[in-house]
Amino acid sequence: MSHTIDLMGLQLKNPIMTASGPWAGDAVGIQRCIDAGAAAVITETISLEAKQRISPRLFCDDDGLFNTMLYSNMHLEEWEEELSTIDRKDAKLICSIWGSTASEIAYLSKKVEHMGADAIEISISAPIGSRNLRMLRHSCDIQEFMGAAVKAVDIPVMVKLSYEAASSPNFLRELELSGIRAVSAIDALKGLAGVDIENQRSLMPTYGGYTGQHIRPVSLATTAALHQYTPLQVVSSGGVLDHETAIEFLMLGATAVQLASAILCSGYGIITEIVRNLEHWLTEHGYSSVDTLRGTALRSLRAFEDIVPRSLCASVNEKCRRTECLICAQSCLQDAVYLDEAGTIAIDPDRCDGCGLCVERCPHGLLTLEWR
Amino acid sequence: MNIRKIAELAGVSVATVSRVFNHPERVLPETRDRVLAITEEYDFTPNWFARNLTLGSTKTIALLIPGIDSDLYRNIISGVETVAGNKGFVVIFCQTRGDAEAEFNFLKIMKSRKVDGIIQVRSLLTPSMAAELQTFNIPRVHIGKNRECGCEMMCYLDYEEAAYRLIHHLSGLGHQSIVLLYDNQGDDITPEIEAGLHRVSRELKRSIRFTAFAGENSAQGGYLAVQRMVQNGDLPDVLVTAGALQAIGALKAARDMNLSIPGDLALASFNDSPVCSVVSPAITCLEMPAAKLGMASARLLFDRIEDDDQDMGVSQEMILQPKLKIRESCGNTTDIFELFD
Ligand SMILES: Cc1cc2nc3c(=O)[nH]c(=O)nc-3n(C[C@H](O)[C@H](O)[C@H](O)COP(=O)(O)O)c2cc1C
Ligand code: SF4
Ligand code: SF4
């Protein structure tokens, strides 16, 4: 069975891509992504200047990841040399670029096209360092900037969006008019790991990009919302950890997904694993192609206003005497959860307003919401 | 015929065609033979291949620059040299001292030395001089906006947008009158600043008083400017200096005259320098991407040196964007004055 997809007119052998970042920062890294089975590899972001790297630049918090890396530290000339040595096999190579003016973006686009890129991803909103606020604030400029790239090259162009940029319908409309073919979202969120309160110091010296599993809910919502806002193809980034999270994004309408933090935390092997597991899952569940699965969960989403209020009340399905737990009682703003004379958990239906929190939080699944 | 068409005909990627010429050992023999057969059929030689065979290349480029006494020029030189180094080229350096005649002579000397390309910084060539160079046949890039110097490629900084951002910020802090101290040796940036200022006035519906005068681009120049304004009794809300050294001089003058910066006079500089963040109060300024400017112009030049027919097809003009670095001297009072956003 084939799981090929069409992204901006490019045939990808599967919907798993690798995102822009240091795992694809030179020929060796890119080759490892390709060899691991990625359908498309996006280079670390290439700009006219090689960016300096600060050390340390990666910070962790549980499984959340913060980075203070801004784009590639290689010169354009070095990139030219590196890219010429890659054996692409059946993978596509997408060059990520950043520029501060329309002419700069057009130049870089043309350059990477000459270097053999199959497509271009323009980074417009990394959360680290100074951003091009003008581009983000003035929708009219974005059309000029992106249009300059589209006009300069014959290969398809996509734009990588921050959460903020992806949330503006006006901005997206301007992007669409510029002639780009797809958007990827979301880029890292702006984050700080915390504050050392004994010493009144931020744990990180500057804002970082917050990525990984904790940004997945934001990214999932953005994928769904982008479908509402724009007919452009959507490539999801942000918290794709395994084949199941990849499927979530596809079911919310993503054309393909990008891996980033997953590679940093689990190595290049995670790409192979996700591609393999995704294929198994699709076969097992009887999907003949990725296209038949795409967007299928969107149907289950509706506007808040359209959700008819149901009259539900919490109920206990199994006697519980775990007085050391009482999570349900602590969760209830209505004070509806109490211990009856027998010392078991009970719900006062007159007080319960059906918020559902006790049900969600009970570690043993003893509670459910029932019709009154 | 170009590399993309060859790749299409051979059914391989552009990178593979590139590899056939650069690293044939890394390409499967049958793929290599197919690509070579097609290139032969269409009589195609890729330019990066040809460039190594170009007869008469001296692997040198010339850089004509007014001086080396400013951070801006030093960074341009460093940017040009970085790219030339990446390409295995040597840079011949000519100091024009802002003299059109000297610049013209250097160009003729460089021609006789058979350089492969020339970068002219802030060229002062007149149209008649440019006409004489018509037959030159050496690729030339101009760093600056003089359209009369006959260079087919140009690279410059967007001062107007920079001025707009700076003045927008200053105006947002409540400042209503601005004096510009520009460099009596360098470009007069007054028109760009005025254009930026008008945009701000229009947008914020607020009038901003603006005057400008010239001074030496040194600490001394900045010192004298403040002294002059104080003695004339017409201190503006903000002094914007063209150079960072002028701002440092202004800081010293203020201290000597018991003026508080930014209390009595706010200060900002149109150029950044490492000292701006070290002094107290730290000086708000625009960072000019000068090294990037040098790199960009060298790249335009090498694109032209290496291939006349690869048809980059992009505009031969590149505009770069300065960055606003808000620190303390402008009157900014937020705590995070070293984060530029
Ligand atoms: C260390 C690191 C470096 C990154 N560098 C880039 C970059 O150069 N360009 C870019 O567009 N995104 C960059 N990103 C953002 C990722 O491509 C991706 O959008 C983000 O990490 C969210 O996905 P994730 O949650 O799967 O990590 C970087 C992310 C990390 C963690
Ligand atoms: S559903 Fe909400 S209101 Fe009802 S008992 Fe549980 S926590 Fe209390
Ligand atoms: S949360 Fe669940 S396990 Fe804990 S006390 Fe309540 S019903 Fe019992």
Side-chain angles (χ1 to χ4, degrees), chain A residues 18-26 42-45 53 69 79 96 160 260:
Chain A
T18 57
S20 178
W23 42 87
D26 59 13
I42 307 177
T43 65
E44 189 168 23
T45 303
R53 298 226 148 138
M69 297 181 69
W79 271 107
S96 166
K160 175 141 178 202

Side-chain angles (χ1 to χ4, degrees), chain A residues 88-141:
Chain A
R88 287 194 216 181
K89 303 182 178 167
D90 49 1
K92 302 291 178 201
L93 179 69
I94 300 177
C95 286
S96 166
I97 61 167
W98 176 87
S100 68
T101 61
S103 54
E104 204 181 325
I105 292 171
Y107 181 80
L108 281 165
S109 300
K110 202 76 194 171
K111 267 297 202 195
V112 298
E113 182 184 38
H114 271 282
M115 283 150 55
D118 294 306
I120 293 171
E121 181 183 84
I122 305 178
S123 166
I124 57 166
S125 50
I128 304 135
S130 311
R131 297 189 268 179
N132 207 329
L133 286 177
R134 174 172 159 193
M135 228 192 297
L136 293 180
R137 284 203 187 124
H138 303 270
S139 302
C140 51
D141 287 342

Side-chain angles (χ1 to χ4, degrees), chain A residues 48-49 75 77 84-86 88 100-101 103-104 107 110-111 113-114 130 133-134 190 206, chain B residues 4 15 18-19 26 82-83 86 161 292 295 299 303 310 312 317 319-321 323 339-341:
Chain A
L48 278 182
E49 270 175 308
H75 289 146
E77 291 74 26
S84 71
T85 67
I86 293 166
R88 287 194 216 181
S100 68
T101 61
S103 54
E104 204 181 325
Y107 181 80
K110 202 76 194 171
K111 267 297 202 195
E113 182 184 38
H114 271 282
S130 311
L133 286 177
R134 174 172 159 193
K190 182 191 271 193
T206 185
Chain B
R4 188 160 289 281
S18 144
R19 224 174 306 127
R26 294 198 193 130
T82 300
V83 172
N86 285 343
E161 172 69 18
K292 186 165 157 187
M295 294 177 86
R299 286 184 177 131
D303 288 342
Q310 222 188 88
M312 280 290 284
E317 227 172 277
I319 309 163
L320 302 183
Q321 197 61 71
K323 186 191 291 180
L339 287 178
F340 313 119
D341 200 289

Side-chain angles (χ1 to χ4, degrees), chain A residues 313-314 328 331-337 347-348 351-359 367 369:
Chain A
C313 174
C328 49
S331 304
C332 186
L333 288 176
Q334 310 303 330
D335 236 353
V337 185
I347 310 271
D348 177 351
R351 287 179 174 251
C352 171
D353 69 359
C355 77
L357 189 56
C358 59
V359 177
L367 308 171
L369 283 175

Side-chain angles (χ1 to χ4, degrees), chain A residues 12 23 37-38 61 102 136 140 179 189 250 259 263 276 297 303 330 337 357 366:
Chain A
L12 304 197
W23 42 87
D61 155 24
L136 293 180
C140 51
L189 295 176
L250 295 170
L259 306 179
I263 306 174
R276 191 187 336 111
Q330 287 154 11
V337 185
L357 189 56
L366 305 182

Side-chain angles (χ1 to χ4, degrees), chain B residues 227-277:
Chain B
Q227 207 172 37
R228 164 177 159 176
M229 293 189 301
V230 169
Q231 285 169 4
N232 287 344
D234 56 358
L235 265 190
D237 291 343
V238 199
L239 171 66
V240 176
T241 62
L245 281 178
Q246 289 175 323
I248 302 287
L251 214 55
K252 171 143 175 53
R255 200 165 302 145
D256 289 354
M257 279 171 267
N258 270 328
L259 287 177
S260 141
I261 289 190
D264 300 314
L265 174 69
L267 183 66
S269 163
F270 218 72
N271 274 285
D272 192 17
S273 144
V275 289
C276 288
S277 67

